[in-house]
Amino acid sequence: MNPNQAPRTRIRLRYGKSGRIRFTSHRDVARIWERSLRRTGLPVAQTEGFSPRAKLHFGLALATGYESDAEYLDVDFKCGEMAVEEVLKSLVDVLPDGIEATGGAVLAPGAMSLQQAVTICDWDIELLDVAAGDLAQWVDQVLGAATLMVTRERKGQKITDDLAPQVRALEVGEPTSRGVRLLATLGTQPRAARPSELLAAQEPVHRPVLIRRTRQWIEQDGARLEPLMVGAAPVQHTLVGVQ
Amino acid sequence: MSLWPELELVLPEVSKPARYIGGEGGMATPEHHPSKVAWLLAYPDTYEIGLPNQGLQILYEILNERDDSVAERAYAPWVDMEAEMRAGGLPLFSVDTHRRAGDFDVLAFNLSAELVYTNLLNCIDLAGAPVRAEHRADDDLLIGAGGHCTYNPEPLADFVDFFVLGDGEEVVSEITEAVWDWKRSGKKSRQSVLRALAAIEGVYVPSLYDVAYDGPALVSITPRYADVPAVVEKRTVADLAAWPYPKQQLVPLTEVVHDRLNVEVFRGCTRGCRFCQAGMITRPVRERPAEQVRTMVADGLARSGYDEVALTSLSTADFSGIEEVVSATMDCGAGEVSVSLPSLRVDAFTVGLAAQIQRARRTGLTFAPEAGSWRMRQVINKLIDERDLYGAVESAFSQGWRRMKLYFLTGLPTETDVDTLAIGELARNCVELGRAHTKNPSVTVSLGGFVPKPFTPFQWFGQNTVSELQRKVFLLRDDIKRNRGVQMKWHDPKASLVEGIASRGDRRIGRVIEEVWRQGGTFQEWSEHFDYDRWTQAMAKHGLSVDWYVHRHRTEDEVLPWDHISAGLHKDFLWQDWRDALNEVGLEDCRWTPCYDCGACTGYSIEHIVASAVPPAGGSQGTGQVPTGYQPPEEVSVQLSGIGARSST
């Protein structure tokens, strides 16, 4: 059968990453998903060719060491219908500690890929080396700056660009048990701004102990949509022992 | 108890932090208790090299199944992590519950390669114990070691409290009981636990032996007490079927070498390749029942989610009914499962097998003829026929493979430039065969310098010098330089020299290992950290001659540093095999032919466990005839392994 004509269902899954598993890389997480989905025995579609792999489409990479409540991936199943509830249920026992599937939705045909669709992310950044008052001052400086030039290295070349347009919101949050919290909303297009770049963009440079992505958003006609909301009938999954 | 709160502040600063987090599928979370002996099983190399080690995983499971012991794992921290640990006062820790090494009773190392010896010292130091055994207090960590390198334990004798020889499945429990007696008594007397350990068959406690020298010559290694054995015998598990381990192979969260399900199908090999220490020290052949193999594969795939299985052993095609097992393996599991056979004779690598193996995913191909000329292969007793190699290569190309690797040794006994250049000829012929099937066939020659190992017929042979190995490498490189489709890689001859120092060194080499470690020489098996000059300077500083230890031919009457260790093999059998090698006389495989009494079975009253009475059919062996008397068996070895599943070092 021509694979293009075979029935397919694309399901978008939301998952969290926390605890010690946060030190795995984006690539590691992709491999964990491949193994976990094989363990479920669900009919995941495979790529063609000599080295077939599961058809998984990941969203924005999460830097090694960061936690998240809002990671997404799209999974193609080789069948015309697939219940999101069933997928979420079969994942409970096969995902490793620290990775939890928390929701899903069947995607409408032709839905934009996660990498294209998501425009902003919310971040929760825990800092130990700064007092709340000093941090508030730092936030004012960042928000008041006309430009925030950051330099990064890419393929051996130094690239400097302005982070200021990417800083969509910034505030001091509730304190944690051991430090203070900075809440940021950063743009992802044309490239995703990293919290570490934000922290380095304005003196004094703060060293985070924990960075957590709390939300990803798709901005559409002035509204913010959670990536599951672009699909039909999203299913929120309540898991015992999450968080 | 857990160091995690401190570690998680350090991990963002180091490369590949997932090396230190544990959390693998199948991981134990053992409950420590004063009434349980706590083992920290360590692999003295990086996590990604050490995690797949099956020996360590087997002991980990057995110890955690017992109700009087717990086991966790540790790996050598990479240099950046070590710097953070030393700066922050963090000790070596387990990856399972991030417990400090000092909270365990035993720190036991798996030793698979000599170049990790300095890492072992570094791990002991990071664990907080004195590096030299003689400086340890009564209640300090007990330092143990097992694995193939322990067949010459002497270079590490000053640092390790006890060595374990041979299969660990049974002896690990006996050791646990001896350690428990020591722990129960409040760890009052180290001497008493060492004496108790020495009484266990298969355990060698080097501090209980006196070593005598006469100038550079070793005169004797003798026990100090009457109840300490003069010769320590290896342990052998008689029946692999009784030990279906690991039952829950660890599934790592981050990428490691051999990242697949591994099922050991048999242990031991009697092909008799004279350079191969593994084949000599693991005798006899003990097959796992085919039905148990199938069960372990099916269960392992279901619980791990892997889509690749390696059937492991030496020369896996010798397993009785290998084709049926491969076929059954490929059909189990929900989706496509690929099979790799890390060690497989080429005469069994038929078009049919090639077709089947590439059904799911085409894995990398490595054929290991080991030597270029038929004469050389007679010397090393790897009696392969060129036609079989060409047949296998033809099968692979015809099934769509476009590149393969050929593994060879150089610096073998009696080797001449004719033998070295014959390697190039074989490689060229393989590329020519490929042209019929593909436009750009590619053959990579991988050349390693031969290092003689204890308990092989070549243990008396003087290793080639660095310059001689280098000359041969360049000779071959220049010969094949202009051949399109032939590439060449080689092992650093300087690293082979250091391996040679450690492989056949005596107790005095310990000073050299310590010196290199004290100067910061860790991760010596990693080319970016290997420091040849440190080793040669340390040898000179301690008045030890590289020439004497490495390049000198030994004589029959010489006392060897491992003469007080026994792998079951009679020394006169090995000597006769060495003479036969020099006379280019081969020796057949005793699992299908009458016993020639090497000692491995007769000495321990055990036997081969082999389901089939005849060798597997295939290639030029397809006649199915068991040779009577000696005739050149026409066979070749092949290795199949997943691309990227090989260590890059």
Side-chain angles (χ1 to χ4, degrees):
Chain A
M1 196 192 317
N2 182 336
N4 296 324
Q5 291 164 358
R8 286 280 190 276
T9 306
R10 179 169 291 185
I11 289 183
R12 176 162 295 171
L13 294 171
R14 184 185 61 213
Y15 64 97
K17 182 185 184 191
S18 58
R20 59 173 153 181
I21 208 167
R22 76 177 193 271
F23 291 108
T24 55
S25 68
H26 186 63
R27 190 179 139 83
D28 292 333
V29 172
R31 297 161 57 83
I32 289 167
W33 271 102
E34 283 179 29
R35 282 200 305 266
S36 300
L37 283 163
R38 268 198 296 274
R39 286 180 64 193
T40 64
L42 294 170
V44 176
Q46 304 282 311
T47 60
E48 302 294 312
F50 289 136
S51 187
R53 305 198 80 88
K55 279 200 163 180
L56 309 181
H57 316 273
F58 287 87
L60 296 168
L62 183 71
T64 302
Y66 290 9
E67 292 192 335
S68 178
D69 301 321
E71 296 307 290
Y72 297 87
L73 86 156
D74 296 344
V75 184
D76 289 353
F77 293 92
K78 50 187 174 193
C79 46
E81 277 183 40
M82 174 58 67
V84 174
E85 293 88 339
E86 190 193 336
V87 176
L88 292 173
K89 217 166 83 185
S90 8
L91 285 167
V92 172
D93 288 334
V94 298
L95 286 170
D97 279 356
I99 293 190
E100 326 268 357
T102 56
V106 175
L107 282 195
M112 245 202 287
S113 77
L114 283 160
Q115 306 239 15
Q116 293 173 300
V118 170
T119 51
I120 50 174
C121 295
D122 292 344
W123 296 95
D124 184 336
I125 302 162
E126 187 183 14
L127 303 166
L128 293 190
D129 59 352
V130 60
D134 294 338
L135 187 61
Q137 206 176 0
W138 184 89
V139 166
D140 289 343
Q141 285 170 341
V142 170
L143 293 175
T147 59
L148 290 169
M149 301 314 289
V150 290
T151 303
R152 65 202 159 94
E153 210 161 291
R154 193 178 153 84
K155 293 178 182 163
Q157 295 220 313
K158 289 204 164 157
I159 299 175
T160 301
D161 50 15
D162 184 8
L163 203 67
Q166 300 279 54
V167 183
R168 309 283 287 270
L170 191 63
E171 60 175 324
V172 178
E174 293 294 310
T176 68
S177 60
R178 54 182 178 176
V180 298
R181 182 178 268 152
L182 180 67
L183 303 176
T185 301
L186 301 178
T188 68
Q189 305 289 353
R191 69 166 191 96
R194 286 182 167 208
S196 57
E197 292 176 305
L198 169 69
L199 294 172
Q202 174 71 47
E203 294 288 335
V205 172
H206 297 298
R207 209 181 114 177
V209 288
L210 193 58
I211 298 177
R212 188 174 185 95
R213 176 143 65 195
T214 52
R215 291 283 205 168
Q216 296 191 33
W217 298 108
I218 296 170
E219 291 169 304
Q220 218 170 64
D221 307 325
R224 286 183 178 183
L225 294 178
E226 209 240 324
L228 291 186
M229 300 302 288
V230 300
V235 174
Q236 306 295 323
H237 200 57
T238 314
L239 288 167
V240 181
V242 179
Q243 307 306 322
Chain B
M1 295 293 264
S2 170
L3 286 172
W4 182 252
E6 287 149 278
L7 287 169
E8 69 175 343
L9 298 180
V10 165
L11 290 183
E13 310 302 318
V14 303
S15 58
K16 300 189 184 177
R19 286 168 166 165
Y20 311 104
I21 63 175
E24 303 88 352
M27 183 186 81
T29 44
E31 284 188 32
H32 291 245
H33 191 273
S35 70
K36 292 181 180 183
V37 172
W39 289 73
L40 183 57
L41 303 175
Y43 194 93
D45 203 333
T46 61
Y47 177 82
E48 54 268 37
I49 306 289
L51 184 282
N53 185 275
Q54 297 292 290
L56 194 149
Q57 292 198 24
I58 290 169
L59 300 184
Y60 176 72
E61 279 190 24
I62 292 173
L63 289 166
N64 280 319
E65 279 176 8
R66 290 180 63 92
D67 50 21
D68 61 354
S69 57
V70 293
E72 300 198 30
R73 296 162 295 124
Y75 304 90
W78 189 244
V79 289
D80 58 350
M81 183 63 172
E82 184 197 343
E84 293 283 345
M85 287 162 68
R86 290 197 185 275
L90 293 169
L92 184 74
F93 57 88
S94 70
V95 297
D96 310 77
T97 67
H98 299 99
R99 189 175 295 252
R100 52 186 76 233
D103 291 346
F104 291 79
D105 303 308
V106 185
L107 173 59
F109 292 91
N110 179 297
L111 293 176
S112 311
E114 291 81 0
L115 285 173
V116 303
Y117 286 178
T118 55
N119 280 10
L120 175 135
L121 269 61
N122 203 40
C123 286
I124 296 173
D125 186 56
L126 282 168
V131 163
R132 297 190 81 86
E134 61 187 322
H135 297 147
R136 286 179 203 134
D138 280 323
D139 60 350
D140 270 329
L141 270 172
L142 275 174
I143 308 295
H148 286 184
C149 291
T150 61
Y151 280 91
N152 178 17
E154 291 307 296
L156 291 176
D158 290 342
F159 317 105
V160 173
D161 293 311
F162 68 95
F163 290 94
V164 180
L165 304 161
D167 299 334
E169 282 92 341
E170 293 166 345
V171 70
V172 74
S173 293
E174 295 159 37
I175 294 169
T176 296
E177 281 154 25
V179 173
W180 166 238
D181 285 339
W182 171 63
K183 186 172 184 173
R184 186 177 50 185
S185 73
K187 299 188 179 177
K188 283 207 190 75
S189 166
R190 195 172 193 84
Q191 197 50 215
S192 70
V193 67
L194 293 176
R195 291 286 287 275
L197 288 168
I200 298 170
E201 194 176 333
V203 178
Y204 170 56
V205 179
S207 61
L208 302 180
Y209 293 76
D210 286 319
V211 186
Y213 305 98
D214 179 9
L218 175 66
V219 173
S220 64
I221 300 181
T222 44
R224 283 191 200 155
Y225 308 98
D227 60 338
V228 175
V231 173
V232 181
E233 300 285 346
K234 73 163 178 176
R235 292 295 290 261
T236 308
V237 169
D239 185 3
L240 214 53
W243 299 96
Y245 291 85
K247 293 171 180 168
Q248 308 226 19
Q249 185 188 305
L250 294 168
V251 183
L253 298 173
T254 188
E255 193 167 5
V256 300
V257 301
H258 312 307
D259 200 359
R260 60 193 179 207
L261 183 68
N262 295 292
V263 175
E264 186 184 26
V265 294
F266 66 92
R267 202 174 288 178
C269 180
T270 41
R271 284 274 159 187
C273 301
R274 291 176 174 131
F275 57 87
C276 178
Q277 187 192 38
M280 294 289 165
I281 61 177
T282 60
R283 296 171 175 212
V285 174
R286 289 146 291 155
E287 288 187 357
R288 193 181 293 290
E291 190 49 43
Q292 191 178 55
V293 171
R294 281 191 282 270
T295 309
M296 289 175 75
V297 168
D299 292 353
L301 287 174
R303 62 160 286 280
S304 68
Y306 279 125
D307 61 351
E308 185 184 349
V309 185
L311 302 178
T312 68
S313 68
L314 299 164
S315 189
T316 309
D318 292 339
F319 186 74
S320 306
I322 183 67
E323 283 171 38
E324 290 83 351
V325 170
V326 168
S327 171
T329 298
M330 304 212 45
D331 292 331
C332 89
E336 296 274 25
V337 175
S338 57
V339 177
S340 34
L341 304 169
S343 177
L344 170 65
R345 286 191 1 260
V346 286
D347 61 353
F349 191 78
T350 57
V351 176
L353 193 54
Q356 215 172 46
I357 283 173
Q358 61 94 49
R359 235 165 65 194
R361 184 175 305 150
R362 192 162 295 147
T363 50
L365 267 183
T366 304
F367 296 77
E370 312 285 1
S373 68
W374 170 248
R375 189 198 70 79
M376 194 75 261
R377 292 196 296 274
Q378 283 180 300
V379 171
I380 64 176
N381 203 40
K382 185 136 194 179
L383 298 158
I384 58 168
D385 189 287
E386 285 178 21
R387 286 169 300 173
D388 283 325
L389 173 63
Y390 297 147
V393 167
E394 175 82 32
S395 301
F397 280 124
S398 74
Q399 287 302 317
W401 269 275
R402 268 167 293 190
R403 67 182 74 116
M404 55 202 68
K405 195 157 133 185
L406 300 179
Y407 189 81
F408 295 94
L409 288 167
T410 188
L412 290 163
T414 78
E415 186 179 64
T416 67
D417 290 353
V418 173
D419 302 305
T420 306
L421 291 169
I423 294 171
E425 193 57 34
L426 277 185
R428 276 189 287 273
N429 292 341
C430 290
V431 170
E432 279 314 309
L433 286 172
R435 290 202 203 286
H437 302 281
T438 175
K439 219 166 82 184
N440 289 311
S442 158
V443 170
T444 301
V445 170
S446 177
L447 192 61
F450 173 60
V451 178
K453 293 290 161 92
F455 296 106
T456 66
F458 291 167
Q459 65 182 356
W460 289 280
F461 174 63
Q463 184 175 329
N464 278 193
T465 61
V466 171
S467 57
E468 178 67 356
L469 287 177
Q470 196 70 65
R471 188 188 67 79
K472 289 173 177 174
V473 166
F474 288 158
L475 178 73
L476 184 59
R477 183 197 60 182
D478 292 345
D479 179 60
I480 60 183
K481 205 158 48 183
R482 268 179 231 91
N483 297 113
R484 235 178 100 239
V486 183
Q487 286 81 39
M488 184 173 148
K489 289 177 182 168
W490 59 89
H491 192 67
D492 181 1
K494 290 177 175 172
S496 299
L497 180 120
V498 172
E499 189 182 330
I501 292 172
S503 290
R504 293 188 296 167
D506 55 32
R507 206 171 276 208
R508 291 169 291 194
I509 293 298
R511 296 173 216 157
V512 175
I513 295 167
E514 184 174 357
E515 178 86 24
V516 171
W517 166 65
R518 289 207 183 275
Q519 291 183 20
T522 55
F523 290 103
Q524 294 297 287
E525 72 287 19
W526 294 72
S527 55
E528 67 264 45
H529 288 290
F530 176 64
D531 192 337
Y532 176 70
D533 294 340
R534 268 193 191 135
W535 287 94
T536 52
Q537 284 161 12
M539 288 290 284
K541 180 176 170 182
H542 291 280
L544 301 173
S545 157
V546 169
D547 217 41
W548 192 86
Y549 276 95
V550 181
H551 305 311
R552 178 180 58 93
H553 293 299
R554 271 72 165 164
T555 55
E556 186 180 9
D557 57 352
E558 179 168 343
V559 175
L560 300 171
W562 49 92
D563 274 352
H564 60 305
I565 301 295
S566 172
L569 304 158
H570 301 311
K571 199 172 178 183
D572 56 1
F573 158 75
L574 291 173
W575 180 260
Q576 183 57 49
D577 208 31
W578 171 223
R579 304 325 291 173
D580 286 349
L582 297 178
N583 293 323
E584 299 166 22
V585 174
L587 182 66
E588 61 263 60
D589 190 322
C590 62
R591 99 189 78 181
W592 301 299
T593 60
C595 173
Y596 45 71
D597 194 19
C598 70
C601 293
T602 48
Y604 302 128
S605 302
I606 48 177
E607 289 179 352
H608 294 301
I609 298 180
V610 180
S612 169
V614 294
S620 60
Q621 265 192 350
T623 56
Q625 297 285 315
V626 182
T628 54
Y630 177 70
Q631 42 186 267
E634 295 168 348
E635 45 138 320
V636 83
S637 284
V638 68
Q639 290 186 318
L640 281 171
S641 74
I643 295 167
R646 296 179 84 86
S647 157
S648 60
T649 57

